[in-house]
Coordinates of all heavy atoms in Angstrom, one line a residue:
M1 N 0.9 -1.2 0.0 CA 0.0 0.0 0.0 C 0.9 1.2 0.0 O 1.7 1.4 0.9 CB -0.9 0.0 1.2 CG -1.9 1.1 1.4 SD -2.9 1.0 2.8 CE -4.4 0.5 2.1
N2 N 0.7 2.1 -1.0 CA 1.6 3.2 -1.1 C 1.0 4.4 -0.2 O 0.0 4.3 0.4 CB 1.8 3.7 -2.5 CG 0.5 4.1 -3.2 OD1 -0.5 4.4 -2.6 ND2 0.5 4.0 -4.5
K3 N 1.8 5.5 -0.2 CA 1.4 6.6 0.7 C 0.0 7.2 0.3 O -0.7 7.5 1.2 CB 2.5 7.7 0.6 CG 3.5 7.6 1.6 CD 4.4 8.8 1.6 CE 5.3 8.8 2.8 NZ 6.2 9.9 2.8
T4 N -0.3 7.3 -0.9 CA -1.5 7.9 -1.3 C -2.7 7.1 -0.8 O -3.7 7.6 -0.3 CB -1.6 8.0 -2.9 OG1 -0.4 8.7 -3.3 CG2 -2.8 8.8 -3.3
H5 N -2.6 5.8 -1.0 CA -3.7 4.9 -0.5 C -3.8 5.0 1.0 O -4.9 5.0 1.5 CB -3.5 3.5 -1.0 CG -3.7 3.2 -2.4 ND1 -2.7 2.8 -3.2 CD2 -4.8 3.4 -3.2 CE1 -3.1 2.7 -4.5 NE2 -4.4 3.1 -4.5
R6 N -2.7 5.0 1.7 CA -2.8 5.1 3.1 C -3.4 6.4 3.6 O -4.2 6.4 4.5 CB -1.3 5.0 3.7 CG -1.3 4.6 5.1 CD 0.1 4.3 5.5 NE 0.8 3.4 4.6 CZ 2.1 3.3 4.4 NH1 2.9 4.0 5.2 NH2 2.6 2.5 3.5
H7 N -3.0 7.5 2.9 CA -3.6 8.8 3.3 C -5.1 8.8 3.0 O -5.9 9.4 3.8 CB -3.0 10.0 2.5 CG -1.6 10.3 3.0 ND1 -1.2 10.5 4.3 CD2 -0.4 10.4 2.3 CE1 0.1 10.7 4.4 NE2 0.6 10.7 3.2
L8 N -5.5 8.2 1.9 CA -7.0 8.2 1.6 C -7.7 7.3 2.6 O -8.8 7.6 3.0 CB -7.2 7.6 0.2 CG -6.8 8.6 -1.0 CD1 -7.0 7.9 -2.3 CD2 -7.7 9.8 -0.9
A9 N -7.1 6.2 3.1 CA -7.7 5.4 4.1 C -7.9 6.1 5.4 O -8.9 6.0 6.0 CB -6.9 4.1 4.3
V10 N -6.9 6.9 5.8 CA -7.0 7.6 7.0 C -8.0 8.7 6.9 O -8.8 8.9 7.8 CB -5.6 8.2 7.4 CG1 -5.7 9.2 8.5 CG2 -4.6 7.1 7.7
L11 N -8.1 9.4 5.8 CA -9.1 10.4 5.6 C -10.5 9.9 5.6 O -11.4 10.4 6.2 CB -8.8 11.1 4.2 CG -9.8 12.3 3.9 CD1 -9.7 13.4 4.9 CD2 -9.5 12.8 2.5
A12 N -10.7 8.7 5.0 CA -12.0 8.1 5.0 C -12.4 7.7 6.4 O -13.5 7.8 6.8 CB -12.0 6.8 4.1
G13 N -11.4 7.2 7.2 CA -11.7 6.8 8.6 C -12.1 8.0 9.4 O -13.1 8.0 10.2
I14 N -11.4 9.1 9.2 CA -11.7 10.4 9.9 C -13.1 10.9 9.6 O -13.9 11.3 10.4 CB -10.6 11.4 9.7 CG1 -9.3 11.0 10.4 CG2 -11.1 12.8 10.2 CD1 -8.1 11.9 10.0
L15 N -13.4 10.8 8.3 CA -14.7 11.3 7.8 C -15.8 10.4 8.4 O -16.9 10.9 8.8 CB -14.8 11.3 6.3 CG -14.0 12.5 5.7 CD1 -14.0 12.3 4.2 CD2 -14.5 13.8 6.1
L16 N -15.6 9.1 8.5 CA -16.6 8.2 9.0 C -16.9 8.5 10.5 O -18.0 8.5 11.0 CB -16.2 6.8 8.8 CG -16.4 6.2 7.4 CD1 -15.8 4.8 7.3 CD2 -17.9 6.2 7.0
V17 N -15.8 8.7 11.3 CA -15.9 9.0 12.7 C -16.6 10.4 12.9 O -17.4 10.6 13.8 CB -14.6 9.0 13.4 CG1 -14.6 9.5 14.8 CG2 -14.0 7.5 13.3
A18 N -16.3 11.4 12.0 CA -16.8 12.7 12.2 C -18.3 12.7 11.9 O -19.1 13.5 12.4 CB -16.1 13.7 11.3
Q19 N -18.8 11.8 11.1 CA -20.2 11.7 10.7 C -21.1 10.9 11.7 O -22.2 10.7 11.5 CB -20.4 11.2 9.3 CG -19.7 12.1 8.2 CD -20.4 13.4 8.2 OE1 -21.6 13.6 8.3 NE2 -19.6 14.5 7.9
A20 N -20.5 10.3 12.7 CA -21.2 9.4 13.6 C -22.2 10.2 14.4 O -22.1 11.3 14.8 CB -20.2 8.8 14.6
Q21 N -23.4 9.5 14.6 CA -24.5 10.1 15.3 C -24.7 9.2 16.6 O -24.3 8.1 16.6 CB -25.7 10.1 14.5 CG -25.6 11.0 13.2 CD -26.8 11.0 12.3 OE1 -27.7 10.3 12.7 NE2 -26.7 11.7 11.2
S22 N -25.5 9.8 17.5 CA -25.7 9.0 18.7 C -26.6 7.8 18.4 O -27.5 7.9 17.5 CB -26.4 9.9 19.8 OG -27.6 10.4 19.3
A23 N -26.4 6.7 19.1 CA -27.2 5.5 18.8 C -28.4 5.4 19.6 O -29.3 4.6 19.3 CB -26.3 4.3 19.0
Q24 N -28.6 6.1 20.7 CA -29.8 5.9 21.6 C -29.9 4.5 22.0 O -31.0 3.9 22.0 CB -31.0 6.4 20.9 CG -31.0 7.8 20.4 CD -30.9 8.9 21.5 OE1 -31.5 8.6 22.6 NE2 -30.2 9.9 21.3
A25 N -28.8 3.9 22.4 CA -28.8 2.5 22.8 C -28.7 2.4 24.3 O -28.2 3.3 25.0 CB -27.6 1.8 22.1
Y26 N -29.1 1.2 24.8 CA -29.1 0.9 26.2 C -28.0 -0.2 26.5 O -28.0 -1.2 25.8 CB -30.4 0.4 26.7 CG -30.4 -0.2 28.1 CD1 -30.3 0.7 29.2 CD2 -30.5 -1.6 28.3 CE1 -30.3 0.2 30.5 CE2 -30.5 -2.1 29.6 CZ -30.4 -1.2 30.7 OH -30.4 -1.7 31.9
V27 N -27.1 0.1 27.4 CA -26.1 -0.9 27.8 C -26.5 -1.4 29.2 O -26.4 -0.7 30.2 CB -24.7 -0.3 27.8 CG1 -23.7 -1.3 28.2 CG2 -24.4 0.3 26.4
D28 N -26.8 -2.7 29.2 CA -27.2 -3.3 30.5 C -26.0 -3.6 31.3 O -24.9 -3.6 30.8 CB -28.1 -4.5 30.3 CG -27.4 -5.6 29.6 OD1 -26.5 -5.4 28.9 OD2 -27.9 -6.8 29.8
P29 N -26.2 -3.9 32.6 CA -25.0 -4.2 33.5 C -24.2 -5.4 33.1 O -23.0 -5.4 33.3 CB -25.7 -4.4 34.9 CG -27.0 -3.7 34.8 CD -27.4 -3.8 33.4
G30 N -24.9 -6.4 32.5 CA -24.1 -7.6 32.0 C -23.1 -7.2 30.9 O -22.0 -7.7 30.9
S31 N -23.6 -6.4 30.0 CA -22.7 -5.9 28.9 C -21.5 -5.1 29.4 O -20.4 -5.2 29.0 CB -23.5 -5.1 27.9 OG -24.5 -5.9 27.3
A32 N -21.8 -4.2 30.4 CA -20.8 -3.4 31.0 C -19.8 -4.2 31.7 O -18.6 -4.0 31.6 CB -21.4 -2.3 31.9
S33 N -20.3 -5.3 32.4 CA -19.4 -6.2 33.1 C -18.4 -6.9 32.1 O -17.2 -7.1 32.4 CB -20.2 -7.2 33.8 OG -19.3 -8.2 34.4
I34 N -18.9 -7.3 31.0 CA -18.1 -8.0 30.0 C -17.0 -7.0 29.4 O -15.9 -7.4 29.2 CB -19.0 -8.5 28.8 CG1 -19.8 -9.7 29.3 CG2 -18.1 -9.0 27.6 CD1 -20.8 -10.2 28.3
I35 N -17.4 -5.8 29.2 CA -16.5 -4.8 28.7 C -15.4 -4.5 29.7 O -14.2 -4.5 29.3 CB -17.2 -3.5 28.3 CG1 -18.2 -3.8 27.1 CG2 -16.3 -2.4 28.0 CD1 -19.1 -2.6 26.8
V36 N -15.8 -4.3 30.9 CA -14.8 -4.1 32.0 C -13.8 -5.3 32.1 O -12.6 -5.1 32.3 CB -15.5 -3.7 33.3 CG1 -14.5 -3.7 34.5 CG2 -16.2 -2.4 33.2
T37 N -14.4 -6.5 32.1 CA -13.5 -7.7 32.2 C -12.6 -7.8 31.0 O -11.4 -8.1 31.2 CB -14.4 -8.9 32.2 OG1 -15.3 -8.8 33.3 CG2 -13.6 -10.2 32.4
A38 N -13.0 -7.5 29.8 CA -12.1 -7.5 28.7 C -11.0 -6.5 28.8 O -9.9 -6.7 28.5 CB -12.9 -7.2 27.4
I39 N -11.3 -5.3 29.3 CA -10.3 -4.2 29.4 C -9.3 -4.7 30.5 O -8.1 -4.5 30.3 CB -11.0 -2.9 29.8 CG1 -11.8 -2.3 28.6 CG2 -9.9 -1.9 30.3 CD1 -12.6 -1.2 28.9
L40 N -9.8 -5.2 31.6 CA -8.8 -5.7 32.7 C -8.0 -6.8 32.2 O -6.8 -6.9 32.5 CB -9.6 -6.1 33.9 CG -10.3 -4.9 34.7 CD1 -11.1 -5.5 35.8 CD2 -9.3 -4.0 35.2
G41 N -8.5 -7.7 31.4 CA -7.8 -8.8 30.8 C -6.7 -8.3 29.9 O -5.6 -8.8 29.8
A42 N -7.0 -7.3 29.1 CA -6.0 -6.7 28.2 C -4.9 -6.1 28.9 O -3.7 -6.2 28.6 CB -6.7 -5.7 27.3
F43 N -5.2 -5.3 30.0 CA -4.1 -4.8 30.9 C -3.3 -5.8 31.5 O -2.0 -5.7 31.5 CB -4.7 -3.9 32.0 CG -5.1 -2.5 31.5 CD1 -6.4 -2.0 31.8 CD2 -4.3 -1.7 30.8 CE1 -6.8 -0.8 31.4 CE2 -4.6 -0.4 30.4 CZ -5.9 0.0 30.7
A44 N -3.9 -6.9 31.9 CA -3.1 -8.0 32.5 C -2.2 -8.7 31.5 O -1.0 -9.0 31.8 CB -4.0 -9.1 33.1
A45 N -2.7 -8.9 30.3 CA -1.9 -9.4 29.2 C -0.7 -8.5 28.8 O 0.4 -9.0 28.6 CB -2.7 -9.7 28.0
V46 N -1.0 -7.2 28.7 CA 0.1 -6.3 28.4 C 1.2 -6.3 29.5 O 2.4 -6.3 29.3 CB -0.5 -4.9 28.1 CG1 0.6 -3.8 28.1 CG2 -1.2 -4.9 26.8
G47 N 0.7 -6.3 30.8 CA 1.6 -6.3 31.9 C 2.5 -7.6 31.9 O 3.7 -7.5 32.2
Y48 N 1.9 -8.7 31.7 CA 2.6 -9.9 31.7 C 3.7 -10.0 30.6 O 4.8 -10.4 30.8 CB 1.7 -11.1 31.6 CG 2.4 -12.5 31.5 CD1 3.0 -13.0 32.7 CD2 2.6 -13.1 30.4 CE1 3.7 -14.2 32.7 CE2 3.3 -14.3 30.3 CZ 3.8 -14.9 31.5 OH 4.5 -16.0 31.5
T49 N 3.2 -9.5 29.4 CA 4.2 -9.5 28.2 C 5.3 -8.6 28.5 O 6.5 -8.9 28.2 CB 3.4 -9.1 27.0 OG1 2.3 -10.0 26.8 CG2 4.3 -9.2 25.7
A50 N 5.0 -7.4 29.1 CA 6.1 -6.4 29.4 C 7.1 -7.0 30.4 O 8.3 -6.9 30.2 CB 5.5 -5.2 29.9
R51 N 6.5 -7.7 31.4 CA 7.4 -8.3 32.4 C 8.3 -9.4 31.8 O 9.5 -9.5 32.1 CB 6.5 -8.9 33.5 CG 7.4 -9.4 34.7 CD 6.5 -10.0 35.8 NE 6.3 -11.4 35.4 CZ 5.4 -12.2 36.1 NH1 4.7 -11.7 37.1 NH2 5.3 -13.4 35.7
L52 N 7.7 -10.2 30.9 CA 8.5 -11.2 30.2 C 9.7 -10.6 29.4 O 10.8 -11.1 29.5 CB 7.5 -12.0 29.3 CG 8.1 -13.2 28.5 CD1 8.5 -14.3 29.4 CD2 7.2 -13.6 27.4
Y53 N 9.4 -9.6 28.6 CA 10.5 -9.0 27.8 C 11.5 -8.2 28.7 O 12.7 -8.2 28.4 CB 9.9 -8.1 26.7 CG 9.3 -8.9 25.6 CD1 8.0 -9.0 25.4 CD2 10.2 -9.6 24.7 CE1 7.5 -9.8 24.4 CE2 9.7 -10.4 23.7 CZ 8.4 -10.5 23.5 OH 7.9 -11.2 22.5
V54 N 11.1 -7.6 29.8 CA 12.0 -7.0 30.7 C 13.0 -8.0 31.3 O 14.2 -7.8 31.4 CB 11.3 -6.2 31.8 CG1 12.2 -5.8 32.9 CG2 10.6 -5.0 31.2
A55 N 12.4 -9.2 31.6 CA 13.3 -10.3 32.2 C 14.2 -10.8 31.1 O 15.4 -11.1 31.5 CB 12.4 -11.4 32.7
K56 N 13.8 -10.9 29.9 CA 14.7 -11.3 28.8 C 15.8 -10.3 28.6 O 17.0 -10.7 28.4 CB 14.0 -11.5 27.5 CG 13.1 -12.8 27.5 CD 12.5 -13.0 26.1 CE 11.7 -14.2 26.1 NZ 11.1 -14.5 24.8
V57 N 15.5 -9.0 28.7 CA 16.6 -8.0 28.5 C 17.5 -8.0 29.7 O 18.7 -7.9 29.5 CB 15.9 -6.6 28.3 CG1 17.0 -5.5 28.4 CG2 15.2 -6.5 27.0
K58 N 17.0 -8.2 30.9 CA 17.9 -8.2 32.1 C 18.8 -9.4 32.0 O 20.0 -9.3 32.3 CB 17.0 -8.3 33.3 CG 16.5 -7.0 33.8 CD 15.7 -7.2 35.1 CE 15.2 -5.9 35.6 NZ 14.5 -6.1 36.9
N59 N 18.2 -10.6 31.6 CA 19.1 -11.8 31.5 C 20.1 -11.6 30.4 O 21.2 -12.2 30.5 CB 18.2 -13.0 31.2 CG 17.5 -13.5 32.4 OD1 17.9 -13.2 33.6 ND2 16.4 -14.2 32.2
F60 N 19.8 -10.9 29.3 CA 20.8 -10.7 28.2 C 22.0 -9.9 28.7 O 23.1 -10.2 28.4 CB 20.1 -10.0 27.1 CG 21.0 -9.7 25.9 CD1 21.4 -10.7 25.1 CD2 21.5 -8.5 25.7 CE1 22.2 -10.5 24.0 CE2 22.4 -8.2 24.6 CZ 22.7 -9.3 23.8
F61 N 21.7 -8.9 29.6 CA 22.8 -8.0 30.0 C 23.4 -8.5 31.4 O 24.3 -7.8 31.9 CB 22.3 -6.6 30.2 CG 22.1 -5.9 28.8 CD1 20.8 -5.6 28.4 CD2 23.1 -5.6 28.0 CE1 20.6 -5.0 27.2 CE2 22.9 -5.0 26.8 CZ 21.7 -4.7 26.4
K62 N 23.0 -9.6 31.9 CA 23.5 -10.1 33.2 C 25.0 -10.4 33.0 O 25.4 -11.0 32.0 CB 22.7 -11.3 33.6 CG 22.9 -11.7 35.0 CD 22.1 -13.0 35.3 CE 21.0 -12.7 36.3 NZ 20.4 -13.9 36.7
K63 N 25.8 -10.0 33.9 CA 27.3 -10.2 33.8 C 27.8 -11.6 34.1 O 28.7 -12.0 33.6 CB 28.0 -9.1 34.7 CG 27.7 -7.7 34.2 CD 28.9 -6.9 34.5 CE 28.5 -5.5 34.1 NZ 29.4 -4.9 33.2
D64 N 27.1 -12.2 35.1 CA 27.7 -13.5 35.5 C 27.0 -14.7 34.8 O 26.3 -15.5 35.4 CB 27.5 -13.7 37.0 CG 26.1 -13.5 37.5 OD1 25.3 -13.0 36.7 OD2 25.8 -13.8 38.6
K65 N 27.2 -14.7 33.5 CA 26.7 -15.8 32.7 C 27.6 -17.0 32.8 O 28.8 -16.9 32.9 CB 26.7 -15.4 31.2 CG 25.6 -14.4 30.9 CD 25.5 -14.2 29.4 CE 24.5 -13.2 29.0 NZ 24.4 -13.0 27.6
K66 N 27.0 -18.2 32.8 CA 27.8 -19.4 32.8 C 28.0 -19.8 31.4 O 27.3 -19.5 30.5 CB 27.0 -20.5 33.5 CG 26.8 -20.2 35.0 CD 26.0 -21.3 35.6 CE 25.7 -20.9 37.1 NZ 24.7 -21.8 37.7
A67 N 29.1 -20.6 31.1 CA 29.5 -21.0 29.8 C 28.5 -21.9 29.1 O 28.2 -21.7 27.9 CB 30.9 -21.6 29.8
G68 N 27.9 -22.8 29.8 CA 26.9 -23.7 29.3 C 25.5 -23.2 29.4 O 24.5 -24.0 29.0
D69 N 25.2 -22.0 29.8 CA 23.9 -21.5 30.1 C 23.4 -20.8 28.8 O 23.4 -19.6 28.7 CB 23.8 -20.6 31.3 CG 22.4 -20.3 31.7 OD1 21.5 -21.0 31.4 OD2 22.2 -19.3 32.4
I70 N 22.9 -21.5 27.8 CA 22.4 -20.9 26.6 C 20.9 -21.2 26.5 O 20.4 -22.3 26.7 CB 23.1 -21.5 25.4 CG1 24.6 -21.2 25.4 CG2 22.5 -20.9 24.1 CD1 25.4 -21.9 24.3
Q71 N 20.1 -20.2 26.2 CA 18.7 -20.3 26.1 C 18.2 -20.1 24.7 O 18.6 -19.3 24.0 CB 17.9 -19.4 27.1 CG 18.1 -19.8 28.5 CD 17.4 -18.8 29.4 OE1 17.0 -17.7 29.1 NE2 17.2 -19.3 30.6

């Protein structure tokens, strides 16, 4: 996808969002609970992934490596 197509796609997305109208919809407590649970799960997944990569970086720069300790 070249730059012109990318710019057109972004412009189309902005125009679609700018034209949005209110939906007059009702969100019941069960739906809100699912949304909150999904958001909390996403935060937990991001936190775990960050912790995993931080540990890998720390292990890479650790000074006291053993000769046979290859992962």
